[in-house]
């Protein structure tokens, strides 16, 4: 279960992690009672990344500007989710920004400390910037200091950032979490630290052990949703009515970055799907393979989409498994038609970009499917745009 930013920061505040003065805005009229001095930043409270690029974060300097911005944000869907709450927060001038996280490694069943000297990054597409320290025994401040040193921090920052990491780990253990993330952790010119954005993911199996989290979970379950089908599949949103490219990726930030690259290359994206992460600890949700197949089926229903760019990063699924999932979708459509030429035009052209291990071992399977498999995102985008411009409309 993912918390909203304002909920995560309430927990940060309780743990002594510094956060900015803020105020929850439930409706437009709350803006008139804003107690935070301007300038103020208004943030859409949705459980997805890419808010800034989508227009869900606005800086305002007057009440009139704030009302107009809040009206826009309250009616702005981001990857299919419309906010019920907007967070008003004091503006902060950061001299430097870092990335920090504590995450549960499901493979080793150990907590891992993550850090980067660059904050505000899309982690899924910037793995080379991340430093990590595995907590392989009883936690001590040594682990936090080791992470800060690996991040290249010096002087007073080693102690101050280590202190933040220790408090994040304390929250991680106390609340039975899968993830605690600060992205970015801002550092002012005077060395003051501030958690400028936060993300918290609660382990689904641990919800019943915490009365406060159980109450939050019940409120989420009762909340009306307009997603229906994509409550389980992931998040989707329509970009351009005249677009003819579909994008699928495992992460909101990755999807948004892919969208930007396709647009820069001259392509027109119709629909984006965020399939979520490969590891799924909630048995009630579809497997990642099911989400890939369902996502392709969903995009196939829109006959204006000529090309689907599948962009997957990480070790789940493996490249050969990705080929199997896509192959099932293709075989299902070809078996439903006795005319192979007609079947070939009944679903969009698929281009797969995979960044992970064992890429070469899957090349033969993708070749047999007539699906290009590339590791370079730029090359995948180039092929998708080129194919979309040359494709005739599907029947």
């Amino acid at each position: 279960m993912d918390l909203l930013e304002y909920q995560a920061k309430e927990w940060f505040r309780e743990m002594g992690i510094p956060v900015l003065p803020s105020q929850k805005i439930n409706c437009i009229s709350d803006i008139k009672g804003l107690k935070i001095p301007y300038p103020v930043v208004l943030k859409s409270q949705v459980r997805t990344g890419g808010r800034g690029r989508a227009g869900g974060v606005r800086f305002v300097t007057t009440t009139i500007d704030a009302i107009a911005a809040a009206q826009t944000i309250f009616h702005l869907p981001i990857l299919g989710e419309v906010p019920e709450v907007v967070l008003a927060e004091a503006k902060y001038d950061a001299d430097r920004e870092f990335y920090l996280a504590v995450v549960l490694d499901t493979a080793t069943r150990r907590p891992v400390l993550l850090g980067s000297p660059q904050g505000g990054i899309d982690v899924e597409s910037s793995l080379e910037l991340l430093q990590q320290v595995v907590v392989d025994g009883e936690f001590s401040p040594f682990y936090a200091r080791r992470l800060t040193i690996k991040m290249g921090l010096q002087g007073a920052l080693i102690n101050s950032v280590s202190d933040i990491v220790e408090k994040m780990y304390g929250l991680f253990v106390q609340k039975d979490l899968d993830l605690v993330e600060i992205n970015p952790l801002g550092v002012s010119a005077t060395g003051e630290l501030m958690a400028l954005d936060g993300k918290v993911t609660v382990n689904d199996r641990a919800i019943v052990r915490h009365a406060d989290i159980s109450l939050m979970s019940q409120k989420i379950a009762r909340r009306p949703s307009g997603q229906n089908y994509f409550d389980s599949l992931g998040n989707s949103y329509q970009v351009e009515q005249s677009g003819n490219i579909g994008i699928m990726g495992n992460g909101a930030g990755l999807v948004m970055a892919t969208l930007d690259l396709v647009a820069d290359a001259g392509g027109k994206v119709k629909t984006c799907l965020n399939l979520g992460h490969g590891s799924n600890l909630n048995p009630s949700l579809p497997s990642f393979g099911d989400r890939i197949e369902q996502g392709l089926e969903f995009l196939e229903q829109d006959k204006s989409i000529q090309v689907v760019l599948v962009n997957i990063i990480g070790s789940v699924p493996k490249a050969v498994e990705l080929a199997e999932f896509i192959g099932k979708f293709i075989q299902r459509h070809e078996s439903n038609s006795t005319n192979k030429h007609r079947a070939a035009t009944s679903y969009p052209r698929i281009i797969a970009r995979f960044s992970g291990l064992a890429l070469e071992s899957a090349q033969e399977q993708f070749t047999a499917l007539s699906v290009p498999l590339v590791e370079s995102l730029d090359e995948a985008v180039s092929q998708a745009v080129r194919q979309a411009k040359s494709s005739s409309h599907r029947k």
Side-chain angles (χ1 to χ4, degrees):
M1 182 182 77
D2 291 330
L3 269 61
L4 295 170
E5 178 191 359
Y6 82 90
Q7 295 170 324
K9 286 184 173 178
E10 288 175 358
W11 284 4
F12 289 175
R13 188 178 290 108
E14 293 173 3
M15 295 297 299
I17 298 173
V19 294
L20 292 166
S22 62
Q23 187 173 332
K24 189 172 66 168
I25 305 299
N26 296 301
C27 58
I28 302 298
S29 60
D30 288 349
I31 293 290
K32 297 179 180 179
L34 197 61
K35 299 177 181 178
I36 305 170
Y38 290 99
V40 168
V41 58
L42 299 179
K43 299 181 178 181
S44 176
Q45 295 299 283
V46 292
R47 293 172 177 81
T48 183
R51 293 180 300 173
R53 286 191 292 266
V57 178
R58 306 288 182 96
F59 290 97
V60 294
T61 56
T62 66
T63 300
I64 294 176
D65 290 342
I67 291 174
Q71 286 177 331
T72 299
I73 293 173
F74 269 119
H75 294 89
L76 177 68
I78 300 177
L79 292 181
E81 185 177 355
V82 179
E84 293 187 349
V85 175
V86 171
L87 181 66
E89 196 170 62
K91 190 174 182 295
Y92 188 81
D93 294 320
D95 189 55
R96 298 178 65 183
E97 292 183 344
F98 303 134
Y99 171 89
L100 295 176
V102 183
V103 62
L104 178 64
D105 186 330
T106 56
T108 63
R109 297 185 178 181
R110 303 300 306 173
V112 179
L113 310 181
L114 300 176
S116 170
Q118 293 185 26
I121 60 172
D122 170 24
V123 180
E124 292 154 332
S125 59
S126 306
L127 296 177
E128 71 281 357
L129 298 175
L130 280 183
Q131 301 297 326
Q132 67 174 20
V133 173
V134 178
V135 182
D136 55 5
E138 184 177 351
F139 183 82
S140 72
F142 163 78
Y143 289 106
R145 289 181 62 85
R146 184 180 175 190
L147 177 68
T148 58
I149 292 172
K150 290 183 72 172
M151 289 168 59
L153 305 187
Q154 298 177 348
L157 278 177
I158 293 179
N159 289 331
S160 58
V161 176
S162 293
D163 182 62
I164 298 292
V165 175
E166 289 181 48
K167 291 173 179 176
M168 291 172 67
Y169 188 86
L171 179 62
F172 179 84
V173 173
Q174 183 184 117
K175 298 290 189 179
D176 288 322
L177 305 179
D178 284 340
L179 170 71
V180 182
E181 179 184 84
I182 298 178
N183 185 26
L185 175 71
V187 185
S188 70
T190 61
E192 177 191 45
L193 300 182
M194 195 66 62
L196 300 182
D197 198 358
K199 181 178 180 180
V200 167
T201 301
V202 181
N203 189 302
D204 290 336
R205 295 184 178 94
I207 292 176
V208 295
R209 296 199 293 267
H210 301 271
D212 57 336
I213 301 177
S214 295
L215 183 60
M216 295 167 66
S217 177
Q218 292 168 16
K219 290 180 178 179
I220 292 174
R222 290 195 298 265
R223 181 178 299 129
S225 173
Q227 286 184 297
N228 298 322
Y229 177 80
F230 284 102
D231 285 341
S232 59
L233 175 61
N235 294 315
S236 73
Y237 71 110
Q238 193 173 87
V239 181
E240 187 172 342
Q241 189 64 38
S242 61
N244 64 348
I245 298 175
I247 292 175
M248 288 172 50
N250 58 333
L254 180 65
V255 170
M256 296 296 288
T258 308
L259 166 61
D260 289 342
L261 289 174
V262 171
D264 289 343
K268 293 184 178 181
V269 177
K270 178 67 177 291
T271 304
C272 291
L273 299 184
N274 171 23
L275 300 174
H277 295 287
S279 299
N280 186 9
L281 299 178
N282 187 344
S284 67
L285 296 180
S287 68
F288 194 70
D290 290 338
R291 279 176 270 159
I292 289 177
E293 292 182 56
Q294 292 169 10
L296 289 171
E297 292 288 355
F298 178 83
L299 294 175
E300 186 275 333
Q301 294 172 18
D302 186 341
K303 301 306 178 184
S304 66
I305 293 180
Q306 304 295 309
V307 179
V308 173
L309 173 54
V310 181
N311 188 6
I312 304 296
I313 287 182
S315 58
V316 180
K318 296 180 175 62
V320 291
E321 293 173 329
L322 179 61
E324 292 173 4
F325 303 145
I326 294 176
K328 288 180 182 178
F329 166 80
I330 292 176
Q331 290 166 10
R332 187 159 53 247
H333 280 268
E334 291 186 346
S335 64
N336 289 336
S337 175
T338 56
N339 185 316
K340 293 296 182 181
H341 175 72
R342 183 179 178 184
T345 60
S346 66
Y347 56 87
R349 173 80 165 166
I350 300 171
I351 296 174
R353 183 263 177 158
F354 183 85
S355 179
L357 300 176
L359 187 70
E360 296 78 8
S361 62
Q363 282 287 2
E364 185 176 341
Q365 289 173 268
F366 277 93
T367 300
L369 295 171
S370 298
V371 173
L373 173 65
V374 295
E375 187 172 15
S376 166
L377 179 54
D378 288 337
E379 174 61 24
V381 168
S382 177
Q383 288 194 34
V385 172
R386 185 167 60 249
Q387 186 68 37
K389 289 181 177 180
S390 63
S391 294
S392 58
H393 193 80
R394 293 188 290 127
K395 302 297 182 182

